[in-house]
Amino acid sequence: MLKGLAITPPILGRITIGKLVENNGKRLPQKDDQFTITSQLQTKEGWIRHPLDEQLRTAQEGKLRTIPIRLLFSDPDLNLRAEYALFDRQTARPLCVGDGEQCKRRTQDGMATLDCPSPDGCPLAQGGACKPYGRLNVLIGDDDPLGSFIFRTTGFNSIRTLAARLAYFKAISGNRLACMPLELRLRGKSTRQSRGTAIFYVDITLREGWTLEETLAEAQRLDDWHQQTGFDQKALDRAAKAGFANGAFEDSAEESIDVVEEFYPDAPEHPPGRQEPNAPVTLADKLQAKSQQQPQANADAEAPTGEADTPPGSDAQQPSPRQAKRA
């Protein structure tokens, strides 16, 4: 197995509660009051909808606000991975992920494990550069027992609600979380901060028309059937845990570009707080500046007085990965 590459569940499509729209030449996220299930393909108009989207939408009279699901794993932390994440806005590469106690950070000397003070106390996270970031994998339909759909979110409400539900369902089912027939449900609320505007978040509930007793009985029946047929859920959980741990960052380079474009458009290219006009402020800046200190010093010593050279690899010369991808 390739070290440094996170082995994640196979993805069949995406679940979103919004979309990217073109506005003055810039793609910006737009919130929605319903789910959209897309495939892994996109065109200039956006992501292509998955056939399941139309199927479920028709059954709900056009508004897709509930999705029947099952879960891949019995361990809640394998189904939902949540962390504080910081991405480089210029390269879209993940730089640092943490849980509020420890973080993994990309440095000049490779990956380093450091203390994580959470975004409120981290100098690199100022200006909205670091956010909570959650990924939930679920099964929809019965066509592929190991192929999942992924829901990504940077919302506290969704992450907190999903984490609580998964922990509670695992507890009351006797560790049969992967055997429970459940449902993704879109909920809304308003707060003083939102000034009465509805905020939508995602919850996991019992399926409509099912009681808790019926759900637990079905989980017991399916667990018994798995044991009879040789389906080893514990081994599947162990394999998934080892796969996630094989890489420092879960998202690949191409996935990170989409994540930054969709969830981090309002964050500045550099966190605020510059002390000097050319002072490096992001981690990428600091590493690049440090690596160029010695070559630049030698060049300055050899250059005639009054001449100024443009540093190699400057942002003015090379487009960002997001710009290149859109082009």
Side-chain angles (χ1 to χ4, degrees), residues 242-262:
F244 284 125
N246 195 60
F249 302 115
E250 179 174 334
D251 295 295
S252 66
E254 59 182 16
E255 291 171 334
S256 296
I257 296 175
D258 294 324
V259 170
V260 170
E261 186 177 49
E262 184 173 356

Side-chain angles (χ1 to χ4, degrees), residues 158-171:
S158 291
I159 292 174
R160 179 167 51 191
T161 302
L162 292 172
R165 290 286 194 180
L166 292 173
Y168 297 165
F169 281 134
K170 175 188 176 181

